Amino acid sequence: MMIGRLALAIGFATLLAAPLRAEQWASSYTAHDYAKCRKDKGNGDPISIHRCPGKAGIIVIWTAGDDSSSVDFGASPTQETISDKASFFEVGKTIEWRGPKGKRPLAAIVRYATGASVGKLNGSRLVVYRLAPDGASCIVGSVDARKPDANNSARRLADEKSASFRCGQDARSED
């Protein structure tokens, strides 16, 4: 009888743990006019790099060329492609910051307009970034933003994988 009660208690604890863990993470948002942020000195090429203040002192690095733009985060971002699902990207102005409620964000979610050619950005992806406490960052994965429930899918990806994701070692998730 004691073992049965213990098993029942463990079962209830397991069922309750998942929603509690999800509730511990929260979102906050910032909007950026990247072109108005501090500009890095260039080397004469047509690429523009600006640094904007983000949440909890995390720097947002906006890189823009003639045909694409993207963001990176922190002091030592991993240089990588946004997604294999498109060739051209234009980063959105809003960043969703995810992390344990009341603490430093561990993930950022950014919407990108995507497409196969310049001037024809007819797709959309939500890209999830890992934000390590040491200033490193990388892409955990991305979600097709045109799918139903895409925002919640991106939040789940951020909540479940970003804290333990190993940049340069773990495989990214892309749907």
Side-chain angles (χ1 to χ4, degrees):
M1 187 64 120
M2 182 71 133
I3 293 175
R5 286 185 185 163
L6 181 60
L8 187 59
I10 291 171
F12 279 125
T14 302
L15 285 174
L16 293 174
L20 287 175
R21 183 176 162 248
E23 289 175 21
Q24 292 173 353
W25 281 60
S27 291
S28 59
Y29 301 86
T30 57
H32 300 273
D33 183 348
Y34 301 112
K36 291 184 178 178
C37 295
R38 190 187 89 221
K39 185 175 182 179
D40 282 1
K41 294 179 182 175
N43 60 2
D45 63 15
I47 294 175
S48 179
I49 299 172
H50 294 252
R51 295 180 185 273
C52 306
K55 283 283 185 188
I58 300 168
I59 299 298
V60 180
I61 305 162
W62 177 66
T63 305
D66 292 337
D67 54 8
S68 285
S69 66
S70 65
V71 291
D72 291 304
F73 297 90
S76 54
T78 301
Q79 298 301 307
E80 56 192 331
T81 61
I82 301 299
S83 171
D84 294 335
K85 305 289 184 180
S87 299
F88 297 93
F89 304 91
E90 185 176 307
V91 66
K93 295 186 180 297
T94 301
I95 298 171
E96 179 176 0
W97 304 89
R98 294 285 296 168
K101 192 171 186 169
K103 296 186 178 175
R104 183 185 184 282
L106 298 176
I109 302 171
V110 181
R111 182 178 300 268
Y112 282 85
T114 63
S117 63
V118 176
K120 190 168 181 162
L121 301 178
N122 55 3
S124 183
R125 296 203 68 77
L126 293 170
V127 178
V128 178
Y129 293 84
R130 178 189 197 285
L131 306 174
D134 67 358
S137 68
C138 64
I139 296 173
V140 174
S142 68
V143 173
D144 184 341
R146 297 171 295 178
K147 289 186 177 180
D149 208 32
N151 288 324
N152 285 329
S153 294
R155 288 181 191 119
R156 264 191 310 279
L157 179 60
D159 296 358
E160 293 172 3
K161 296 204 174 185
S162 60
S164 62
F165 191 82
R166 296 171 302 166
C167 296
Q169 295 178 30
D170 292 340
R172 290 170 29 172
S173 301
E174 290 204 40
D175 72 353

